[in-house]
Amino acid sequence: MVLRLAQRKLILTIAGFDPSSGAGVTADLKTIAAHELYGTACITALTVQTTQGVLKSEAVSAGIVQETLDALFDALPPAAIKIGMLGSGAVASAVADFLRRNRPPNVVLDPVLRSSSGADLLDKEGAAVLRNELLALVDVVTPNLEEASFLSGMPVTDVSSMEEGCRRMIGLGARNLVVTGGDLDEPVDVLAESSPSKSVSFRRFPGQKIITPNTHGTGCAFSTALACELAVGKTLGDAVAAAKEYVAGALRMSYSLGKGTSPINHFFAAER
Ligand code: PLP
């Protein structure tokens, strides 16, 4: 790979640490590097986690998060930010406060509630901050069906409820959303874009079902790839298409590492 560090835009990931590097900040840094951009990271929580699941998680102090974000924003201003696992209400509030004070560009929020293996990755207070504050402070929110159901307050299970859920989340202050429907029998993502007058336009992105057991970190990679594509100036629709293509390639070229659910292959493009 030709290193063009001086020209690289900065992407900041605000997320948890997964020691198996399938999800969280280390996976996000791989995604950012695969897009030939420079990644910085603010760790919100530590997890004890492998490909076999999350055994434990502990949020870092809100003060450390706030100081890290302020220091990074001053020295290394990001062209885009991805927000993932937040862990606690105190950390979620510190991130909301950072966004209110600085109004950074191209902020993508992956509203992580739970791991695919079923572990809670955000406490109750944090979930309230996500819905009542963060939703309205970012440019794009990328919920899966479960997260969209929580945020919208209605069951989101198919394309029409994905669209109705988006209308409700826009009513709560969200600007743009991509509801990811990778778990549906016929996978489709729904992009909802709102105008300043709050009219909503929808676009559907059908996907192919990629049969692989190596799916750990799929949601993290999608939201981070989306932030990268927005940073380099793509429109939201084009950025969604490119991020989907990146994740599809990383799933297709994934390989098994050991026990449990292995990660996707973030660097698949370099291996072709
Ligand atoms: N661990 C961390 C630190 C994460 O940030 C996330 C997702 O955002 C997960 C685990 C969940 O990943 P998965 O749903 O692929 O298990």
Side-chain angles (χ1 to χ4, degrees):
M1 196 179 355
V2 181
L3 293 179
R4 285 173 286 131
L5 286 175
Q7 296 161 31
R8 286 185 191 190
K9 299 210 174 194
L10 288 151
I11 313 296
L12 166 62
T13 169
I14 304 173
F17 176 62
D18 162 12
S20 71
S21 289
V25 287
T26 46
D28 290 345
L29 292 173
K30 286 191 277 183
T31 300
I32 297 164
H35 285 77
E36 299 194 5
L37 299 168
Y38 189 95
T40 56
C42 173
I43 295 183
T44 55
L46 298 176
T47 67
V48 179
Q49 177 173 188
T50 69
T51 44
Q52 290 187 293
V54 180
L55 300 169
K56 200 172 175 179
S57 75
E58 197 169 296
V60 307
S61 83
I64 284 282
V65 169
Q66 188 211 302
E67 286 183 47
T68 303
L69 292 176
D70 286 343
L72 282 176
F73 194 74
D74 180 50
L76 300 160
I81 298 178
K82 171 258 167 74
I83 302 170
M85 175 187 177
L86 292 167
S88 72
V91 168
S93 295
V95 173
D97 182 51
F98 163 77
L99 295 176
R100 270 191 290 264
R101 281 187 288 111
N102 296 293
R103 297 279 165 192
N106 298 320
V107 182
V108 178
L109 171 67
D110 183 10
V112 175
L113 297 173
R114 224 190 294 276
S115 71
S116 315
S117 54
D120 284 334
L121 298 177
L122 186 62
D123 65 18
K124 247 184 151 171
E125 294 75 27
V129 174
L130 204 60
R131 190 168 190 264
N132 301 332
E133 297 182 46
L134 284 168
L135 202 66
L137 287 168
V138 303
D139 297 291
V140 196
V141 190
T142 62
N144 61 23
L145 299 180
E146 183 195 2
E147 293 155 355
S149 300
F150 165 73
L151 292 171
S152 65
M154 61 171 272
V156 175
T157 53
D158 56 18
V159 173
S160 65
S161 55
M162 285 158 97
E163 291 184 351
E164 177 54 25
C166 285
R167 286 191 196 281
R168 293 198 189 188
M169 289 183 273
I170 286 167
L172 292 171
R175 271 169 255 167
N176 306 295
L177 299 120
V178 186
V179 182
T180 56
D183 293 334
L184 295 170
D185 290 339
E186 286 180 31
V188 61
D189 294 350
V190 168
L191 166 63
E193 292 182 88
S194 72
S195 69
S197 67
K198 291 282 165 200
S199 69
V200 187
S201 64
F202 292 105
R203 204 169 135 188
R204 295 177 187 179
F205 291 82
Q208 287 170 288
K209 198 99 190 157
I210 299 166
I211 308 294
T212 170
N214 311 318
T215 57
H216 182 42
T218 308
C220 296
F222 177 72
S223 53
T224 305
L226 188 58
C228 291
E229 300 293 357
L230 292 174
V232 298
K234 285 214 169 87
T235 62
L236 184 52
D238 287 351
V240 170
K244 273 183 75 70
E245 205 176 304
Y246 172 73
V247 171
L251 279 164
R252 247 184 236 114
M253 299 275 285
S254 64
Y255 50 91
S256 186
L257 286 174
K259 297 176 181 171
T261 304
S262 286
I264 62 172
N265 181 357
H266 298 92
F267 290 119
F268 72 94
E271 294 174 12
R272 281 197 292 215

